[in-house]
Amino acid sequence: MLPSFLRALSKSGPGSLGALLQCQQLRFFNVHEYQGAQLMSKFGVNVPPGIPAKSLDEVDKAVGKMADENGEVVIKSQILAGGRGLGRFTNGLQGGVHIVPKARALELAEQMLGGTLVTKQTGPAGKPVNTLLIARKMKLKREMYFAILLDRKTAGPMMIGCSEGGTSIEDLAEKYPEKIIKIPVDSRKGITNEQAMAMVDGLRVTGDKAKAAQQIKALYDLFVKSDCTMVEVNPLAETLDGQLIAADAKLGFDDNAAYRQKEIFDMKDESQIDSREVAAAKYDLNYIGLDGNIGCMVNGAGLAMATMDIIKMHGGAPANFLDVGGSANEQQVVEAFKILTGDKQVKAILVNIFGGIMKCDVIASGIVNAAKQVSLSVPLVVRLEGTNVAQGKDILRSSGMSIIAADDLDDAAKKAVAAIA
């Protein structure tokens, strides 16, 4: 996920930029709050006491352990999206985070578990709540914001902080950008004591600054050793006794590091992911759902971006980003078609293939077989170019199917838009 303050500063428009931001937001693996807390504690980061619960029986046991001296407990919905506190359940319950008396915990948990929570980051469909984090109510002096992410400009990690935090961080970053502290870190040298202390000063920590600096360094250690793309702690809070505590955090991880971070990637919760993305991943297809009605199947991310841009230029709207890669086989093409046609929004399909390693005749055979298997009922526009293109076009012409051939990308986009006009 993109950090919340970056979402506020970034205005994703139509075409490649919007699609790119969506890819960035969705493609980096992330974990639930309770999973992130467990991981952070392994690196020496202070986290609030809490117990995950997936059933009412587990909730009941956890409440008994987490209730404070006043008999209150915090119940937090676990979804892979921010804005939970201000969210709304589709059953009418307001808020995905609640502080309640112990006696009311089970009643509230029953409304939350198995429900769908809608926040400003989930979209109108919301996310299912299959786990609740039962946490101890913390007495906090003040809240701050802290994040580490990869910065393209400095080609390394960037620490970002703000002496104010909480749910309004997006608005704060937009209205008062001067309050945001940025400290780049040289990945070859790692974080220095001076940089950690500079962040502590910028956060205006009032307690033990040396211990606070150790917490900043522990978060950086987590970022590097766990192959994180982002560590966002909001709020990073200061307790009454002056300790820093990661009261809530989002962690994102580099998909390319899955082979050496098996324990982390085994935490994957597929219920939080678009089912089409889950299906695509099983066949090594890169899929991102969008809001339009023209399904796209393309080989190569750059060509996919160009295809979406040209569809938009001619008045259409892409329904997805689907990259079958440079060496897809016929079975992958068939599965790609199943994913596209399974989307009720799709009213036409545009296939744009440039054959290099991938041969156009193999793709054409896959297209024909896929169209027959799924009983294709929407217009299909195909543009082929490259290796064995003549053989590929012959396969399409002789298929006996109603396939709209296109001469080039511009022609293909025009025909796809016209097909649903």
Side-chain angles (χ1 to χ4, degrees):
M1 286 183 168
L2 288 173
S4 55
F5 85 93
L6 281 185
R7 281 190 297 273
L9 297 177
S10 301
K11 303 297 183 182
S12 60
S16 293
L17 178 58
L20 176 60
L21 287 174
Q22 291 202 41
C23 290
Q24 285 181 311
Q25 189 171 4
L26 297 172
R27 295 247 357 241
F28 294 142
F29 175 70
N30 52 88
V31 297
H32 287 294
E33 176 190 0
Y34 76 92
Q35 295 169 322
Q38 292 168 353
L39 184 59
M40 285 189 293
S41 65
K42 291 181 181 179
F43 284 84
V45 178
N46 297 328
V47 296
I51 301 172
K54 299 178 184 292
S55 68
L56 291 179
D57 284 342
E58 291 180 356
V59 169
D60 193 29
K61 293 175 183 176
V63 166
K65 296 177 180 178
M66 289 293 111
D68 66 6
E69 65 272 14
N70 296 319
E72 290 187 315
V73 69
V74 183
I75 303 179
K76 308 179 82 172
S77 303
Q78 298 298 283
I79 62 170
L80 296 182
R84 294 170 298 164
L86 300 177
R88 176 184 53 80
F89 281 88
T90 54
N91 62 13
L93 178 65
Q94 187 68 37
V97 178
H98 294 270
I99 301 173
V100 295
K102 181 179 176 180
R104 281 202 59 221
L106 272 180
E107 173 194 340
L108 194 64
E110 191 171 8
Q111 297 179 65
M112 298 168 73
L113 265 180
T116 300
L117 181 61
V118 180
T119 78
K120 59 184 177 182
Q121 291 185 24
T122 65
K127 296 279 187 184
V129 178
N130 299 318
T131 305
L132 297 175
L133 177 60
I134 311 302
R136 185 162 296 143
K137 182 181 176 182
M138 302 295 294
K139 294 180 180 178
L140 304 175
K141 184 189 301 184
R142 51 189 294 268
E143 296 183 351
M144 299 154 280
Y145 177 94
F146 177 77
I148 310 173
L149 64 153
L150 293 171
D151 180 55
R152 191 179 297 273
K153 185 176 180 180
T154 60
M158 175 74 76
M159 294 195 300
I160 299 171
C162 183
S163 58
E164 301 176 42
T167 56
S168 63
I169 186 65
E170 294 93 341
D171 296 333
L172 185 71
E174 189 171 23
K175 293 179 182 177
Y176 307 104
E178 70 279 1
K179 292 188 176 183
I180 305 299
I181 310 145
K182 298 181 181 180
I183 301 176
V185 179
D186 187 332
S187 58
R188 295 164 298 183
K189 297 178 181 178
I191 186 172
T192 65
N193 292 330
E194 291 76 14
Q195 287 172 325
M197 193 59 71
M199 178 56 69
V200 169
D201 289 338
L203 294 173
R204 299 180 185 175
V205 171
T206 61
D208 189 320
K209 293 189 176 184
K211 287 185 178 179
Q214 286 303 314
Q215 287 295 296
I216 298 299
K217 292 174 76 172
L219 285 163
Y220 183 83
D221 198 32
L222 161 71
F223 179 85
V224 173
K225 292 182 179 177
S226 297
D227 287 296
C228 291
T229 55
M230 179 195 74
V231 171
E232 183 185 36
V233 185
N234 187 24
L236 176 66
E238 196 171 4
T239 61
L240 297 180
D241 59 0
Q243 287 194 66
L244 286 193
I245 186 167
D248 194 0
K250 294 181 205 162
L251 309 181
F253 304 88
D254 186 352
D255 289 339
N256 296 307
Y259 72 96
R260 65 184 177 201
Q261 301 290 351
K262 189 175 186 305
E263 184 179 348
I264 292 174
F265 279 77
D266 282 345
M267 297 178 183
K268 186 176 184 178
D269 182 358
E270 292 187 347
S271 72
Q272 299 290 308
I273 307 170
D274 188 321
S275 60
R276 298 166 298 181
E277 291 183 39
V278 174
K282 291 178 181 177
Y283 293 93
D284 290 328
L285 303 170
N286 298 310
Y287 180 93
I288 301 293
L290 301 174
D291 296 328
N293 53 12
I294 298 178
C296 306
M297 188 181 84
V298 184
N299 66 319
L303 192 59
M305 294 293 188
T307 302
M308 291 189 290
D309 274 350
I310 294 179
I311 288 173
K312 290 288 289 185
M313 186 177 74
H314 289 296
N320 65 273
F321 169 105
L322 198 162
D323 173 15
V324 298
S327 57
N329 55 40
E330 187 172 314
Q331 181 59 37
Q332 287 175 297
V333 175
V334 170
E335 296 302 327
F337 261 80
K338 288 180 180 178
I339 294 168
L340 291 178
T341 55
D343 185 348
K344 294 181 180 178
Q345 289 186 154
V346 171
K347 304 303 180 186
I349 295 175
L350 192 162
V351 178
N352 183 22
I353 299 294
F354 184 84
I357 298 172
M358 178 184 295
K359 295 179 174 60
C360 290
D361 54 336
V362 173
I363 288 295
S365 295
I367 291 170
V368 172
N369 290 336
K372 290 178 179 177
Q373 284 189 39
V374 301
S375 301
L376 191 65
S377 59
V378 298
L380 171 60
V381 179
V382 179
R383 180 256 185 169
L384 297 177
E385 193 57 75
T387 307
N388 295 348
V389 64
Q391 296 95 311
K393 290 182 177 180
D394 284 341
I395 291 170
L396 296 179
R397 276 193 296 266
S398 61
S399 67
M401 302 191 67
S402 180
I403 298 174
I404 303 170
D407 297 324
D408 54 41
L409 178 51
D410 196 59
D411 183 42
K414 288 178 180 178
K415 287 178 175 177
V417 173
I420 59 174

